[in-house]
Amino acid sequence: MEIYENEHDQVDAIKRFFTENGKALAVGVILGVGALIGWRYWNSHQVESARGVSQSYENTVRAIAPDQPQTISTAEKFAADNKNIYGAMTALEVAQQYVDKNELDKAASQLTQAIAAADDDNLKALINLRLARIQVQQKKADEALKTLDTVKGEGFAAIVADLRGEALLSKGDKKGARSAWQAGVESKASPALSEMMQMKINNLSV
């Protein structure tokens, strides 16, 4: 580190510094300003893009009509092209349309796509619960049980227990079903869900 005897030496040192590094500093300032402008532009572009996708999502979902297959196809394409929450939510809506038509394979495919697009754990849990319910309807008990294993969180415990009981019962495992439903009754289930699982336990004894 240099030691200066007076202000004149300091001024000379500053002049030398800018003479030697002036170009580099200028480039640095330009790059810094450019980066800032670029960041603001990118951020603004992202906001506008998100707004555009959000609006497209609303328009696409609002246009879905069960008696107009092309609207469902349009929604499917939107879901496939958008690997984000909007795509996931659209795939969920399309899956419900297929459930209503009893086209469970197509519904399950849409839900699998929605899971891949979702990045929120709670949303993924809800989608997996819907998928497990469909798999139980399809008599794919083992797949349903694997799907339920991915659902974490105390808030979902009762619904998981109910579906687990259904899957196990479909496999002929009454003991396992009883244990699952009993665990559900003992969890923080809503009164209605708790009562329903208790009824299922009682029916096993008949």
Side-chain angles (χ1 to χ4, degrees):
M1 179 178 179
E2 292 186 63
I3 299 175
Y4 306 107
E5 295 181 358
N6 52 53
E7 292 181 3
H8 180 74
D9 289 343
Q10 291 178 340
V11 171
D12 285 344
I14 292 171
K15 288 180 179 179
R16 286 199 306 274
F17 176 82
F18 278 100
T19 298
E20 296 170 1
N21 301 284
K23 290 183 179 179
L25 285 172
V27 171
V29 169
I30 291 170
L31 290 176
V33 172
L36 180 60
I37 293 173
W39 164 254
R40 288 180 175 173
Y41 171 79
W42 180 85
N43 195 45
S44 175
H45 174 73
Q46 290 293 99
V47 170
E48 290 301 317
S49 179
R51 286 176 182 167
V53 174
S54 175
Q55 188 61 54
S56 295
Y57 159 74
E58 290 182 16
N59 294 340
T60 300
V61 171
R62 193 180 296 118
I64 293 177
D67 59 340
Q68 297 179 31
Q70 72 274 14
T71 63
I72 297 177
S73 296
T74 298
E76 280 187 286
K77 185 178 186 307
F78 179 87
D81 291 344
N82 290 274
K83 307 300 183 183
N84 50 39
I85 189 171
Y86 297 109
M89 295 298 289
T90 304
L92 264 173
E93 183 61 38
V94 173
Q96 185 58 54
Q97 295 296 323
Y98 283 130
V99 168
D100 293 342
K101 295 172 179 288
N102 201 35
E103 297 181 34
L104 300 184
D105 286 341
K106 290 182 178 180
S109 177
Q110 286 297 308
L111 291 176
T112 300
Q113 179 178 306
I115 292 167
D119 57 7
D120 179 81
D121 289 340
N122 288 327
L123 178 57
K124 281 190 174 185
L126 289 171
I127 299 171
N128 273 306
L129 286 171
R130 288 196 184 187
L131 178 58
R133 192 178 299 280
I134 288 175
Q135 289 168 335
V136 170
Q137 290 178 267
Q138 293 176 305
K139 308 300 182 185
K140 297 179 178 179
D142 290 330
E143 290 185 27
L145 291 170
K146 288 181 181 178
T147 299
L148 291 171
D149 285 340
T150 69
V151 181
K152 309 298 180 184
E154 192 174 321
F156 300 108
I159 302 175
V160 169
D162 181 41
L163 288 172
R164 190 180 301 281
E166 292 289 344
L168 291 169
L169 185 62
S170 72
K171 286 165 60 74
D173 185 358
K174 290 186 178 182
K175 183 178 179 180
R178 180 189 299 275
S179 296
W181 286 328
Q182 188 60 49
V185 170
E186 293 170 0
S187 70
K188 296 178 180 179
S190 66
L193 181 55
S194 181
E195 183 178 345
M196 183 180 69
M197 286 188 283
Q198 186 60 57
M199 288 177 60
K200 291 179 180 180
I201 292 172
N202 296 340
N203 288 338
L204 288 176
S205 303
V206 177

